[in-house]
Amino acid sequence: MSQASTDTHTPAITDESTHREDASRLAPLRARIDRSCAVPCIVFFASSLFWLMVGTILALITSLKMHHPWFLADIGWLTFGKVRPAHLNAVAFGWASMSAIGVLLWLMCRLCMVPLRFPAMLVIAAGIWNVGVTIGLVAILAGESSGIEWLEFPNYAAFVLFLAFAIISIWAVATFAARTTTHVYVSQWYMFGALFWFPWLYATVQIFLILFPVKGVTQASITWWFGHNVLGLWFTPIGLAAAYYLIPKVIGRPIHSYYLSILGFWTLALFYNWAGAHHLVSGPVPAWLVTVSAVASMMMFIPVTTVAVNHHMTMRGRFRLLKYSPTLRFVVFGAMCYTFVSFQGSLMSLRILNEPFHFTHHTIGHAHLGLYAFFTMIMFGSMYYIVPRLTGREWASNNLIRIHFWATSIGIAGMFIVLTIGGMIQGFELNQASESLSVLVREHGLWSGTKEFFAGFEAQNGAVPFLQIMKDTIPWMQLRSVTGILIFIGHLAFFILVVMNVHAWGRQRFGKPTLFVDDTEDYEKLVGGQP
Amino acid sequence: MTLYYILVFGILLLFGATVIWALWWAIRGGQFSDFQKGATSIFDEDEPIGEVTDHFTDRCEEMKREQQAIAENEDQEPPGEESSAKPRN
């Protein structure tokens, strides 16, 4: 067969022979693979959860300062200009990246059908990554931030992260070379894409902005080429890789159109990285650069639609299963938000929609929709599937799972709504509104005042005093803090669940359905030792 | 300045070549020759198609009934409903 001849490293097991083996051989293999991933994955997941809690607390401080600026104001370490980038980097490079790597390790082993090798190497990488994030965050709070969005870690911290990443990339290539499957599943394409793109992005931006810095237009363009691509070529592929594996695996139904999924991967690779300049619309950059980014952003409708169609058609007729599976809830929520945030982003790159929304809270709402409602929720769902298979223990409390889901989903939905509305008001008032919304509402009542606000547009830039605009956004900032507290509660619930699972606190729970075995004895026989 | 040109165009060529190589490797290795096999490759006899692999532990019975209801609905549809959506290569 032509497949076997191209891969000199692949042993003789093809997909056909795997199907002919009986189930009793496959379960132990899967158990062995899952168990082999346990230590490195749990180290990454535990670290990511720690950073999630740190990042959420930093987020709450940041959010409170937006409407209570005297909150902790006499602590120099926690001024807004420091605590906001600290929050961003803690959740992006602490929580999101480390949970992404944890998921990637397990998923790569599962799809290559090989147990995880060199776990010590990966644990060291996790340690190095944690050191890097710690140094970076302390540096930001000490005032050493680089001032470049998404790249606030000073370059000594960034270099540490790079070292850890190199170890993980080498591991991934070694594992792939040792795979026993001939077919490369779409999730593996996405994961390798992410591992390939991220070092390129990070190294390039370090070279061009930190080591041999460029200035002016070039600096801004490269900043946002990097910032945008970190989202779409590092986080997005891993989120999609997880969704493409977990949705079919949980519901027991293959992806609706595998062809569409491959098409989606290659069109993402082709179009995504042109779109970075849409962060600079109306900025002092060449107009063609912005137009190119708008075109690429609109072309992103293609991969995003393929993903949306695929997931929807796979789930069609199975939406009732959302009631029964925690993994499915989080992953489907995340996948739907991926579609939503991408469509929103594509539209916002058009100049006419960018004008009222740029530099407003609307953008922050969009950012959270992407990194939280899409990526973080999919990471939660993945961890709900993966962690019991690593530890051999069920989750301690179904109610805590439900609290986690509802608190975070309502929290992020609420956050997105309040930031979008607040951002719209802010944007319209900054641009062309002739009168502040609060003044109109006071004069004409809520409904007529709002209508008057959106209808009464004249080209009167600066008609509303800036201080008034700021005051108009305060109620929305307060509501955002409320949604943030809700999200924090959800995170606490999840933190408790993971700690209890990893430490085996609470009643020992084994058995179906999350696990494939019926009781402890079977499991011990399968993995040949204590669970 | 020369350094920037070398870096930018060098990386462009390098990565472009890698992407083209990856596509060529995939096509030559038959990765795109059977999409149906690709979609079903994550299932096997131990975790077959049709079996739900995750749910709340306090909803076991309900879930089994749900799974049976879905399976019965599928039986009534014409066979190969999912594969008929895209022609096999």
Side-chain angles (χ1 to χ4, degrees):
Chain A
M1 296 184 64
S2 60
Q3 277 115 302
S5 64
T6 56
D7 303 313
T8 51
H9 300 286
T10 315
I13 302 175
T14 63
D15 292 319
E16 278 75 20
S17 70
T18 312
H19 285 294
R20 280 201 297 273
E21 286 170 320
D22 36 276
S24 59
R25 271 207 56 189
L26 294 165
L29 175 64
R30 188 176 299 112
R32 223 162 23 95
I33 293 174
D34 288 346
R35 272 305 269 178
S36 68
C37 295
V39 171
C41 288
I42 291 191
V43 168
F44 271 102
F45 286 150
S47 309
S48 72
L49 265 182
F50 171 74
W51 293 120
L52 179 70
M53 299 315 287
V54 166
T56 314
I57 291 170
L58 288 169
L60 282 174
I61 297 174
T62 312
S63 185
L64 286 169
K65 278 176 178 278
M66 289 285 273
H67 54 86
H68 266 65
W70 51 87
F71 178 63
L72 300 179
D74 48 356
I75 302 178
W77 289 86
L78 296 177
T79 60
F80 182 84
K82 293 174 182 171
V83 85
R84 187 210 177 245
H87 156 66
L88 175 67
N89 282 275
V91 295
F93 295 107
W95 152 249
S97 294
M98 293 192 90
S99 58
I101 294 170
V103 169
L104 184 147
L105 298 180
W106 176 83
L107 199 53
M108 194 62 86
C109 289
R110 270 274 185 125
L111 289 171
C112 294
M113 292 281 275
V114 284
L116 185 142
R117 302 175 317 158
F118 316 119
M121 193 166 111
L122 293 169
V123 172
I124 290 172
I128 295 175
W129 193 288
N130 276 319
V131 165
V133 173
T134 310
I135 293 176
L137 284 181
V138 169
I140 291 175
L141 292 176
E144 300 257 314
S145 159
S146 71
I148 300 169
E149 206 159 345
W150 290 99
L151 196 68
E152 288 91 347
F153 280 171
N155 66 332
Y156 43 87
F159 179 71
V160 175
L161 287 187
F162 208 77
L163 204 64
F165 202 86
I167 297 175
I168 293 159
S169 298
I170 294 169
W171 173 89
V173 172
T175 303
F176 187 71
R179 72 190 182 285
T180 60
T181 52
T182 50
H183 183 78
V184 180
Y185 191 63
V186 62
S187 297
Q188 285 168 300
W189 281 107
Y190 274 114
M191 289 190 289
F192 270 112
L195 288 172
F196 181 70
W197 286 314
F198 185 68
W200 166 43
L201 291 172
Y202 213 49
T204 306
V205 81
Q206 285 289 323
I207 292 172
F208 280 97
L209 295 185
I210 311 284
L211 292 172
F212 306 107
V214 296
K215 294 185 179 48
V217 172
T218 328
Q219 184 188 47
S221 314
I222 294 178
T223 302
W224 284 110
W225 169 84
F226 169 73
H228 183 73
N229 287 341
V230 152
L231 299 168
L233 298 180
W234 166 236
F235 293 124
T236 297
I238 300 203
L240 293 181
Y244 267 118
Y245 182 75
L246 288 173
I247 291 180
K249 206 67 170 126
V250 167
I251 68 177
R253 191 196 212 183
I255 283 290
H256 168 77
S257 168
Y258 197 66
Y259 159 77
L260 268 184
S261 67
I262 301 288
L263 181 74
F265 170 72
W266 286 101
T267 45
L268 176 84
L270 184 61
F271 294 131
Y272 197 88
N273 63 90
W274 298 81
H278 68 210
H279 294 262
L280 295 167
V281 176
S282 303
V285 292
W288 65 261
L289 192 64
V290 171
T291 305
V292 161
S293 76
V295 168
S297 305
M298 295 306 280
M299 292 300 275
M300 278 301 296
F301 270 107
I302 295 175
V304 173
T305 311
T306 63
V307 169
V309 164
N310 237 343
H311 288 162
H312 181 80
M313 295 301 279
T314 307
M315 281 294 293
R316 196 177 59 142
R318 304 280 200 271
F319 283 101
R320 281 169 299 175
L321 290 173
L322 286 168
K323 235 181 22 147
Y324 303 105
S325 163
T327 300
L328 201 62
R329 284 187 188 184
F330 280 99
V331 174
V332 168
F333 184 93
M336 287 182 179
C337 288
Y338 171 67
T339 311
F340 186 14
V341 75
S342 302
F343 285 173
Q344 184 201 22
S346 295
L347 290 173
M348 274 183 9
S349 68
L350 301 172
R351 287 179 171 90
I352 191 162
L353 285 174
N354 195 278
E355 191 181 319
F357 296 137
H358 201 182
F359 302 119
T360 67
H361 299 299
H362 185 277
T363 309
I364 308 299
H366 171 76
H368 282 87
L369 191 68
L371 207 58
Y372 194 92
F374 158 53
F375 186 76
T376 296
M377 295 300 261
I378 288 193
M379 288 297 105
F380 286 149
S382 310
M383 284 167 75
Y384 273 114
Y385 193 84
I386 298 172
V387 172
R389 287 162 175 75
L390 302 178
T391 59
R393 277 185 288 278
E394 273 296 357
W395 295 106
S397 159
N398 289 308
N399 286 325
L400 273 179
I401 300 179
R402 290 179 182 115
I403 290 174
H404 178 211
F405 177 72
W406 290 110
T408 50
S409 54
I410 294 174
I412 191 60
M415 183 181 291
F416 173 70
I417 291 169
V418 304
L419 286 176
T420 301
I421 298 176
M424 271 173 65
I425 294 171
Q426 184 187 18
F428 284 129
E429 286 185 359
L430 280 169
N431 278 292
Q432 287 163 314
S434 50
E435 189 60 87
S436 143
L437 177 66
S438 55
V439 167
L440 286 173
V441 164
R442 219 177 307 132
E443 282 173 14
H444 303 283
L446 183 61
W447 178 239
S448 316
T450 312
K451 268 201 308 188
E452 179 98 18
F453 177 70
F454 285 110
F457 265 24
E458 298 136 42
Q460 291 186 27
N461 290 326
V464 184
F466 191 80
L467 202 62
Q468 183 60 50
I469 302 177
M470 190 273 291
K471 284 184 188 164
D472 282 352
T473 62
I474 285 182
W476 305 102
M477 297 293 98
Q478 291 168 328
L479 283 173
R480 189 257 297 269
S481 291
V482 170
T483 63
I485 292 171
L486 204 55
I487 288 176
F488 182 67
I489 291 171
H491 291 173
L492 266 179
F494 187 55
F495 188 77
I496 293 170
L497 279 169
V498 174
V499 166
M500 285 184 77
N501 189 296
V502 169
H503 288 279
W505 291 338
R507 196 171 47 90
Q508 293 290 294
R509 297 157 301 283
F510 298 89
K512 285 183 180 293
T514 303
L515 299 180
F516 50 84
V517 292
D518 282 314
D519 59 47
T520 340
E521 283 166 35
D522 276 357
Y523 188 80
E524 282 179 36
K525 270 189 282 187
L526 281 174
V527 300
Q530 283 300 314
Chain B
M1 195 55 183
T2 325
L3 175 67
Y4 295 139
Y5 280 119
I6 295 174
L7 276 173
V8 170
F9 288 106
I11 291 175
L12 200 75
L13 284 171
L14 186 68
F15 279 65
T18 311
V19 166
I20 293 170
W21 173 83
L23 256 179
W24 169 82
W25 173 88
I27 294 169
R28 194 170 88 101
Q31 295 291 336
F32 300 145
S33 60
D34 186 346
F35 290 121
Q36 206 50 39
K37 189 173 79 156
T40 54
S41 67
I42 58 174
F43 297 99
D44 51 38
E45 273 138 15
D46 181 60
E47 285 185 346
I49 294 173
E51 184 176 291
V52 172
T53 59
D54 175 73
H55 56 85
F56 288 107
T57 51
D58 58 356
R59 291 223 170 125
C60 198
E61 296 307 319
E62 280 177 70
M63 215 290 308
K64 286 203 175 105
R65 282 198 295 271
E66 190 68 57
Q67 207 173 297
Q68 250 178 328
I70 289 173
E72 273 156 27
N73 278 334
E74 299 278 279
D75 285 339
Q76 284 161 13
E77 284 164 10
E81 182 249 356
E82 278 125 28
S83 57
S84 65
K86 267 274 165 257
R88 279 185 196 245
N89 285 337

